[in-house]
Amino acid sequence: MTDKPKRVRTAVFPAAGLGTRFLPATKAQPKEMLPIVDKPLIQYAVEECAASGIENIIIVTGRGKNAIEDHFDQAPELERFLRDKGDTARADLVRDIGAKIHFSYTRQRDPLGLGHAVLVARELVGDEPFAVLLGDVICDGPKPATRALCDVYEETGIGAIAVEPVPRELIHLYGIVDARPATERKWGERLRQILDLVEKPDAEKAPSNLSVTGRYVLPPEIFDHLEKTKPGRGGEIQLTDGLRALAREQGLWALITEGKTYDAGDKLGFLKATVEFALKNPEFGDEFRAYLKAMEF
Ligand code: UTP
């Protein structure tokens, strides 16, 4: 590649899924708006984008997802109410949500899969590399996972997706990569070259224990691959199938990100994230720790 890769400025948030694993909570409210301590899930990923230098976020929504749009919009009445009461801190908090980023929204009319949701954002993304973040996944680490992936793309011009080792008994729940050590040594053992991806394999047949976590930085060519992708498992257009084609055609990195990933779209993952973020809370973390310690199990 002769030209320097473009800087990654845009992120796509596919948020049109039905959240069936979290029913009944998600019957009338978006999964992405379930709070971990005091922030909706999706806000953690938006803050990750802001910390990663992303300027534009495109949220792919569906029916019943209006609360997401409202959350990142201004709330003048609420802000005025708080200011009139002299509660400047909370008024500023309300004002600052989403203030650093430009948001656009588009709709996926039918939930035809994650790959289809990404494809729906094609016109808004244009001919640029972009990040994809699953809004129900929280990545908590020393460096924002999206920034780490942008660094790999901006240096190499090849897309990169975040992976993490998972215990053998959980392999069948995730997309798993078949990868070999990268010839590019800057990231050491953490960077792998993807040979293939497999959706939810049996542990015995899995090519590795590295699961795809829900953070991606992709070149615009992924859209051509998704256009050609036929519906797979469950009649859905799988992002994994587009990624496999991309990996074959122009390569794709897997980056083992530092820190911890919570799949908070799953009840147990949600509870783990809640407890860990509550323990870290400066206001009541110590009290919460003492409460947990005093509990009899
Ligand atoms: P998930 O499978 O985790 O989400 O999809 P889901 O379909 O909402 O939830 P369950 O499995 O029924 O509990 C991963 C991401 O892809 C989005 C979801 O919103 C989620 O962020 N997605 C999925 C779409 O935007 N459109 C789809 O058609 C499918």
Side-chain angles (χ1 to χ4, degrees):
M1 180 161 293
T2 45
D3 291 344
K4 196 170 155 28
K6 285 186 187 163
R7 194 166 76 76
V8 182
R9 299 182 306 154
T10 300
V12 174
F13 280 51
L18 299 177
T20 54
R21 281 173 296 158
F22 230 117
L23 282 167
T26 47
K27 185 181 172 209
Q29 71 167 327
K31 167 175 71 174
E32 294 78 7
M33 291 302 293
L34 297 173
I36 298 287
V37 184
D38 55 1
K39 273 191 264 182
L41 273 176
I42 192 168
Q43 194 176 331
Y44 288 89
V46 165
E47 288 175 0
E48 180 186 324
C49 280
S52 300
I54 296 289
E55 294 162 15
N56 307 303
I57 289 181
I58 300 161
I59 304 190
V60 181
T61 65
R63 277 183 290 285
K65 300 275 183 167
N66 295 350
I68 299 178
E69 211 163 321
D70 290 342
H71 185 70
F72 293 110
D73 196 4
Q74 290 191 325
E77 294 84 10
L78 176 59
E79 212 188 301
R80 199 172 323 112
F81 172 80
L82 291 165
R83 289 208 196 282
D84 289 350
K85 270 201 336 177
D87 196 344
T88 316
R90 283 203 180 91
D92 290 348
L93 184 92
V94 166
R95 181 199 57 201
D96 292 346
I97 297 169
K100 289 195 193 125
I101 301 249
H102 176 264
F103 287 87
S104 324
Y105 296 87
T106 185
R107 279 211 171 203
Q108 185 189 26
R109 290 171 68 88
D110 290 304
L112 298 176
L114 175 57
H116 182 259
V118 172
L119 191 53
V120 163
R122 180 172 201 163
E123 294 305 317
L124 288 171
V125 172
D127 192 26
E128 289 211 6
F130 62 102
V132 177
L133 291 89
L134 303 191
D136 53 353
V137 171
I138 301 180
C139 296
D140 189 33
K143 176 171 184 171
T146 296
R147 185 62 250 158
L149 295 173
C150 290
D151 286 347
V152 173
Y153 176 81
E154 288 169 8
E155 186 112 347
T156 65
I158 290 174
I161 69 176
V163 295
E164 69 169 10
V166 282
R168 196 182 145 77
E169 62 277 13
L170 299 181
I171 282 179
H172 69 282
L173 298 174
Y174 295 98
I176 299 289
V177 297
D178 181 3
R180 65 175 169 216
T183 42
E184 171 70 69
R185 297 309 301 160
K186 186 170 173 185
W187 288 269
E189 288 299 307
R190 289 177 46 230
L191 193 70
R192 310 282 169 94
Q193 184 190 346
I194 294 182
L195 303 173
D196 202 1
L197 296 103
V198 203
E199 200 50 61
K200 304 186 174 127
D202 293 335
E204 309 78 64
K205 293 192 192 134
S208 76
N209 66 341
L210 294 176
S211 76
V212 180
T213 59
R215 297 290 186 266
Y216 315 75
V217 167
L218 301 170
E221 289 78 14
I222 185 68
F223 292 124
D224 293 332
H225 294 297
L226 289 172
E227 291 276 10
K228 287 184 223 145
T229 301
K230 302 241 169 6
R233 193 187 273 239
E236 295 191 341
I237 294 181
Q238 304 283 354
L239 181 59
T240 305
D241 292 335
L243 295 176
R244 296 175 84 192
L246 184 73
R248 274 196 302 272
E249 195 152 291
Q250 49 169 258
L252 186 62
W253 303 118
L255 181 71
I256 303 173
T257 43
E258 294 165 294
K260 222 166 168 176
T261 305
Y262 303 91
D263 178 6
D266 163 82
K267 288 176 196 170
L268 187 57
F270 180 88
L271 288 172
K272 287 179 185 170
T274 301
V275 170
E276 295 204 27
F277 280 85
L279 287 170
K280 280 195 280 191
N281 188 287
E283 198 185 317
F284 51 72
D286 290 343
E287 209 177 314
F288 186 57
R289 178 170 285 102
Y291 169 78
L292 289 181
K293 276 194 175 149
M295 272 177 83
E296 288 181 19
F297 293 103

